Amino acid sequence: ANAGEALVLLENSLTLSRVTLIAPDGQVLFDNMGEADSFDNHANREEFIGALSRGSATAIRRSDSSGMDMIYYAQKLQDGSVLRLSAPLRLVHSVFAGMLPGLLGGMAAIVCVAVLLSRIIAGTLLKPLSNIDLDEPEAANTYEELTPLLSRIMEQNKRSRQQIARLNAKQQEMDMLLNGMSEGFLAMDARHRLLSVNKSALQMLGVSAQDAQGRTLTAINRQPDMLNLLEELERTGTASATLCQGGRIYLLSASKVDGGSGSVMLIRDITEKTEGELMRKRFSANVSHELRTPLTTIFGYSDMLASGMVKPEDRQDFLERITAESRRMLDLVEDILRLSKLDEGYQGGRREKVDVLDCAKQTAVSLEAAAEFKQVRLTVTGEPLHVLGDPTLVGELIYNLADNAIKYNKPGGEAEISVHRSGDRVNLVVRDTGIGIHPTQQDKIFERFYRTDKSRSKETGGTGLGLSIVKHSAEYHSATLSVQSTPGQGSVFTVS
Ligand code: ADP
């Protein structure tokens, strides 16, 4: 309150406050509001009784003399009399009301200061704590009392780092294992969402790692075989199927793991195996067929000879035919044996320095008679170059190519074997001026028993296996094999 208001308050309290001195028996000795005699005995007043018994007392009640609500305060004096002060309650209220804004303001100010101070204190207290580097807690310059806690944090950090390193190493090991696998591997959750896919599986399914992450397998591949496999997996817990994708054949085997909360799938490329099986089946059928023909002929002629039905002058001719057919059969069986040896990976094959030109010259010598018979001029040219390989296989490769160059030639034609260098490779080229091969047949001639002209091949003693052996031998030496040919003009076979 300001000075003016205080003055008014003081004035009011002086005029309105009543002071009464009461004798121990209750008689009013003095009262500033009137003559002492005019007041009745105060012995029954609540504050008076209280003051007599306890030393002091207060009371609020309606005054008999003024008819107003009054507040009384009575104090027992040393001589046993009681001094009483009283004021209208209204006055007390107004005093309190006058003080209220000041009180509230004061309290607000105190609260503000308290908040501010607590902030500042908390800030200064917490600053060293918030400056602690949790990676290096012991390096922090902070309260000594915190040292044990910081040491524990440090210890915990060390343990966490070791654990993370262990987990990382495990993960790396797992990744290496999975990505080194030639088989495809994938792990899925219960809804066939991909959790982990290795490189081979991505390649086989034809998706990138980003495309596969988090997607379901059915969203990546919707082939009926795949859908059936997943359905069976749900039903029985394990399933397998073959899937054709991108020209390859894959075997998928899936099984549920972890009580059905996920599943894993292995994908194996079985193209070669399947095709190999198919080829072997076709091969054995072909072999039986190819062997049957000369055998039937031999059987026919020898049967007739045995039954004595052949005229003596024809006997020689029959025997020559039997010899020729037997020769054919022997050639066939030899080629078949050679091929099956190659099929098995040519176990025991040697790897040594082979002089290709020397090999070609030896071959030319062994084919001299055949060339002369067909009236073909066979030549060998080039430089002495070496490859690392099996001399028998290299010899067979050159023999078969040169043999064809003579067999499928024209009288007066030429056949040439040349050996030359091309970069860091050795090229063997067998060129002829023969009948040539039609473009549509150029791929097929390397297949087993394939002959562009069956009767002509038979007539020349061909088995249809020569180029298959050439192809195998080239593969064994990691060589490329190609053919260029123009029908009627000749062919060029290049092994590089
Ligand atoms: P074959 O024993 O019948 O000669 P190959 O496997 O060596 O069997 O050859 C397959 C077929 O390819 C032959 O029957 C022939 O039709 C054709 N061929 C191979 N070499 C030549 C060539 N130099 N010129 C023309 N045709 C060829």
Side-chain angles (χ1 to χ4, degrees):
N2 57 35
E5 282 172 359
L7 216 59
V8 173
L9 266 174
L10 205 60
E11 241 167 42
N12 282 346
S13 58
L14 278 179
T15 47
L16 293 170
S17 295
R18 182 179 161 202
V19 183
T20 315
L21 183 63
I22 309 162
D25 60 355
Q27 193 194 339
V28 176
L29 300 175
F30 169 79
D31 196 303
N32 66 335
M33 286 296 180
E35 285 300 315
D37 305 345
S38 61
F39 295 98
D40 52 359
N41 192 296
H42 274 31
N44 62 347
R45 298 296 196 273
E46 187 190 342
E47 67 278 9
F48 174 73
I49 300 165
L52 279 188
S53 60
R54 300 190 300 271
S56 69
T58 52
I60 295 169
R61 78 190 127 78
R62 185 150 294 203
S63 164
D64 296 339
S65 40
S66 64
M68 284 192 288
D69 281 340
M70 303 286 280
I71 181 163
Y72 297 94
Y73 176 75
Q75 173 82 47
K76 190 180 169 189
L77 300 179
Q78 262 173 352
D79 60 357
S81 58
V82 171
L83 182 66
R84 190 185 72 173
L85 268 174
S86 67
L89 205 55
R90 204 166 26 88
L91 180 68
V92 176
H93 283 164
S94 71
V95 169
F96 184 70
M99 283 165 66
L100 198 61
L103 267 175
L104 287 178
M107 273 165 65
I110 288 170
V111 169
C112 286
V113 170
V115 167
L116 211 70
L117 273 178
S118 65
R119 284 239 172 114
I120 292 170
I121 292 170
T124 42
L125 277 175
L126 288 177
K127 200 168 177 200
L129 295 184
S130 52
N131 278 346
I132 295 175
D133 177 4
L134 284 177
D135 287 331
E136 289 294 336
E138 285 195 327
N141 186 12
T142 180
Y143 311 114
E144 204 176 307
E145 293 80 356
L146 284 179
T147 313
L149 176 69
L150 295 181
S151 310
R152 282 197 61 189
I153 294 178
M154 188 88 162
E155 189 69 20
Q156 195 71 29
N157 277 354
K158 210 167 113 190
R159 227 173 300 154
S160 305
R161 269 197 287 267
Q162 281 171 348
Q163 222 145 14
I164 290 171
R166 248 200 312 272
L167 283 175
N168 275 345
K170 262 228 159 71
Q171 180 70 39
Q172 259 174 6
E173 207 176 284
M174 193 76 179
D175 284 350
M176 234 160 66
L177 198 84
L178 287 180
N179 286 329
M181 272 165 62
S182 57
E183 285 93 357
F185 171 86
L186 46 95
M188 302 173 278
D189 67 9
R191 296 168 60 201
H192 303 144
R193 208 182 297 279
L194 295 174
L195 301 174
S196 156
V197 193
N198 75 349
K199 263 192 206 146
S200 304
L202 288 173
Q203 228 165 34
M204 291 167 173
L205 293 171
V207 279
S208 68
Q210 290 101 309
D211 284 351
Q213 208 55 51
R215 284 176 74 194
T216 58
L217 188 55
T218 42
I220 289 169
N221 193 305
R222 291 203 64 77
Q223 283 192 37
D225 287 335
M226 180 68 94
L227 300 181
N228 290 342
L229 172 114
L230 291 177
E231 197 196 314
E232 196 189 328
L233 176 69
E234 282 314 307
R235 237 178 330 109
T236 61
T238 55
S240 61
T242 48
L243 187 85
C244 294
Q245 165 95 18
R248 316 252 346 141
I249 307 164
Y250 298 110
L251 177 68
L252 316 181
S253 329
S255 53
K256 289 208 159 199
V257 288
D258 216 7
S261 63
S263 41
V264 289
M265 184 184 281
L266 264 184
I267 311 176
R268 228 155 30 97
D269 189 337
I270 52 163
T271 317
E272 270 77 37
K273 195 170 161 257
T274 316
E275 280 176 356
E277 270 164 21
L278 204 73
M279 208 176 72
R280 267 192 290 280
K281 262 187 217 158
R282 231 184 284 147
F283 185 53
S284 13
N286 281 337
V287 166
S288 322
H289 177 79
E290 294 290 331
L291 287 176
R292 228 182 85 170
T293 322
L295 253 181
T296 316
T297 317
I298 293 168
F299 176 74
Y301 286 134
S302 48
D303 191 40
M304 279 161 82
L305 280 172
S307 63
M309 282 163 57
V310 184
K311 288 187 231 149
E313 59 266 36
D314 290 338
R315 277 175 72 94
Q316 185 57 29
D317 183 37
F318 272 44
L319 285 172
E320 271 170 17
R321 285 188 195 193
I322 289 174
T323 312
E325 288 300 322
S326 309
R327 174 84 250 154
R328 236 181 87 67
M329 267 189 77
L330 213 63
D331 286 350
L332 247 169
V333 170
E334 258 167 23
D335 277 357
I336 290 165
L337 280 178
R338 224 171 266 140
L339 260 180
S340 59
K341 223 171 157 187
L342 285 167
D343 275 344
E344 284 158 20
Y346 201 62
Q347 302 299 328
R350 284 181 288 167
R351 291 266 175 204
E352 57 189 64
K353 250 172 115 179
V354 181
D355 185 334
V356 184
L357 185 69
D358 193 43
C359 238
K361 281 180 180 158
Q362 282 178 31
T363 309
V365 171
S366 64
L367 282 168
E368 238 166 35
E372 208 171 294
F373 181 73
K374 287 281 294 183
Q375 298 168 36
V376 172
R377 203 166 74 92
L378 176 64
T379 53
V380 179
T381 60
E383 41 184 327
L385 292 169
H386 293 87
V387 293
L388 210 58
D390 184 274
T392 317
L393 279 186
V394 174
E396 273 172 11
L397 181 144
I398 302 176
Y399 182 91
N400 280 303
L401 287 177
D403 185 38
N404 284 349
I406 297 166
K407 272 197 303 195
Y408 304 106
N409 218 316
K410 303 168 199 162
E414 304 217 345
E416 181 201 19
I417 310 171
S418 73
V419 181
H420 62 266
R421 188 191 295 276
S422 164
D424 58 349
R425 301 182 78 91
V426 174
N427 279 3
L428 169 87
V429 183
V430 179
R431 194 189 310 269
D432 67 63
T433 56
I435 58 170
I437 307 154
H438 198 269
T440 54
Q441 294 175 318
Q442 284 175 16
D443 276 347
K444 296 185 190 146
I445 52 172
F446 298 100
E447 283 170 23
R448 293 169 186 199
F449 298 116
Y450 185 86
R451 283 163 285 202
T452 55
D453 180 347
K454 270 219 155 148
S455 56
R456 186 182 176 121
S457 166
K458 242 180 208 167
E459 184 189 302
T460 55
T463 60
L465 293 175
L467 286 181
S468 304
I469 293 171
V470 169
K471 191 177 148 193
H472 258 79
S473 173
E475 273 166 14
Y476 178 83
H477 291 97
S478 313
T480 57
L481 171 64
S482 61
V483 59
Q484 283 163 341
S485 181
T486 315
Q489 286 187 20
S491 315
V492 183
F493 286 82
T494 309
V495 184
S496 182

